[in-house]
């Protein structure tokens, strides 16, 4: 698309925008975007899956503004537009497939007897919890002890051990201040 419609290419963060593939599945050329206009495009985007009307309006505005900046028809534009249409549809299909797979994984994780306990830990949701279950085989005894589990997670194994580590870090060594300990 960069070759035939660079202004639209610059208008969206295609790696993060869910609305961009929706737009490209329906409208790929400057002329088509100018014809539909901002208001009708915003409605079309909302009806075809844009998250909110504000997101649709913002995307429509960016797309039509980009189209208004380019009136030159590039040779091969129609062929390239067909390819963009096909690729946008494929991206949308893959996004849907990923969402369905994630829903299956999350549902399966929620069936695990330890799911509630695992997700009660700060920062651990269903997907990270599912990865944790997959890594341990669902067997919490794989770690041997809570201290070992905490160590693998990069946490101090217990409050007492954390205090010992803290004491070592701040202990006054002859000729060195606490800041020098990490630089030897």
């Amino acid at each position: 698309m960069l070759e035939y419609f660079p202004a639209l290419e610059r208008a969206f963060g295609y790696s993060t925008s869910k609305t961009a593939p929706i737009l490209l599945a329906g409208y790929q050329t400057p002329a088509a975007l100018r014809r539909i206009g901002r208001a009708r495009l915003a409605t079309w985007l909302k009806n075809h899956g844009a998250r909110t009307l504000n997101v649709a309006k913002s995307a429509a505005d960016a797309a039509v503004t980009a189209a208004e900046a380019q009136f030159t028809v590039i040779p091969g534009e129609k062929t390239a537009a067909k390819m963009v249409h096909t690729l946008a549809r494929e991206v949308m299909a893959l996004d849907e497939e990923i969402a369905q797979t994630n829903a299956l994984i999350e549902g399966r994780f929620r069936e695990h007897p330890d799911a509630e306990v695992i997700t009660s830990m700060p920062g651990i949701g269903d997907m990270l919890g599912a990865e944790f279950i997959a890594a341990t085989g669902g067997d919490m005894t794989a770690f041997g002890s809570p201290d070992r589990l905490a160590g693998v997670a990069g946490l101090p194994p217990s409050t007492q051990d954390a205090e010992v580590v803290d004491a070592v870090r701040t202990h006054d060594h002859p000729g060195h201040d606490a800041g020098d300990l990490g630089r030897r």
Side-chain angles (χ1 to χ4, degrees):
M1 194 168 69
L2 186 58
E3 290 78 18
Y4 80 91
F5 197 176
L8 188 63
E9 177 77 22
R10 288 188 301 271
F12 291 95
Y14 291 95
S15 64
T16 57
S17 174
K18 297 285 186 183
T19 305
I22 296 168
L23 169 71
L24 295 175
Y27 298 91
Q28 308 83 29
T29 65
L33 288 166
R34 285 192 303 273
R35 268 193 311 273
I36 192 168
R38 284 173 175 77
R40 287 180 36 219
L41 181 58
T43 301
W44 185 89
L45 288 168
K46 179 63 180 130
N47 291 340
H48 286 84
R51 242 185 357 249
T52 66
L53 185 57
N54 283 341
V55 168
K57 284 180 179 179
S58 176
D61 185 53
V64 174
T65 298
E68 289 170 344
Q70 180 178 331
F71 285 88
T72 305
V73 176
I74 307 297
E77 181 178 281
K78 285 185 180 182
T79 302
K82 286 180 182 179
M83 291 172 54
V84 167
H85 166 80
T86 300
L87 291 171
R89 290 270 183 211
E90 289 176 4
V91 166
M92 291 168 55
L94 286 172
D95 281 347
E96 181 60 32
E97 192 172 325
I98 290 168
Q100 290 173 1
T101 301
N102 285 346
L104 289 172
I105 291 169
E106 290 171 5
R108 182 77 170 118
F109 168 70
R110 283 276 159 209
E111 294 173 4
H112 192 276
D114 295 323
E116 190 173 327
V117 172
I118 292 169
T119 56
S120 71
M121 292 184 264
I124 299 185
D126 289 345
M127 291 303 289
L128 186 55
E131 287 182 40
F132 178 77
I133 294 297
T136 63
D139 181 11
M140 296 302 125
T141 62
F143 292 100
S145 73
D147 288 347
R148 174 76 178 121
L149 171 59
V152 169
L155 304 171
S158 70
T159 305
Q160 182 180 358
D161 289 344
E163 290 168 359
V164 169
V165 169
D166 227 16
V168 169
R169 283 189 188 137
T170 58
H171 184 58
D172 186 24
H173 294 298
H176 301 284
D177 67 14
D180 290 335
L181 290 176
R183 288 185 235 132
R184 288 193 223 176

